[in-house]
Amino acid sequence: MKACTKCGEWHTSAENKAGKDLSCTQVKAYWSGVSLRHKEACGHYAQIRIRKDGRVVCMKCQQDLDPVL
């Protein structure tokens, strides 16, 4: 399921990183896990933003989240 109409870019990015098709529930769990791993590393939940160039960053601390993905 590429580019779900409900979650668009979030869905596509999660599937690209996972290397397989995911359901909406799996996509939400994926991004929740990213946020949780960022909290363990930085002390706050990630405010995730996908930039136009495809990079995923935390808006709060401007840290690149690709290593966490």
Side-chain angles (χ1 to χ4, degrees):
M1 176 193 300
K2 295 289 180 188
C4 172
T5 55
K6 283 172 43 179
C7 43
E9 181 68 28
W10 293 94
H11 207 106
T12 302
S13 295
E15 287 183 342
N16 287 344
K17 297 292 182 184
K20 59 182 179 180
D21 291 343
L22 302 172
S23 70
C24 284
T25 303
Q26 291 170 313
V27 169
K28 289 175 187 174
Y30 172 83
W31 289 113
S32 177
V34 169
S35 186
L36 183 61
R37 287 190 299 276
H38 183 71
K39 183 180 188 302
E40 292 169 356
C42 297
H44 65 271
Y45 288 104
Q47 293 178 355
I48 300 169
R49 173 160 183 173
I50 301 172
R51 296 197 172 177
K52 290 181 181 179
D53 63 3
R55 287 187 21 226
V56 180
V57 297
C58 174
M59 288 180 48
K60 188 169 190 169
C61 65
Q62 299 303 314
Q63 185 173 351
D64 196 0
L65 297 177
D66 279 336
V68 181
L69 300 175

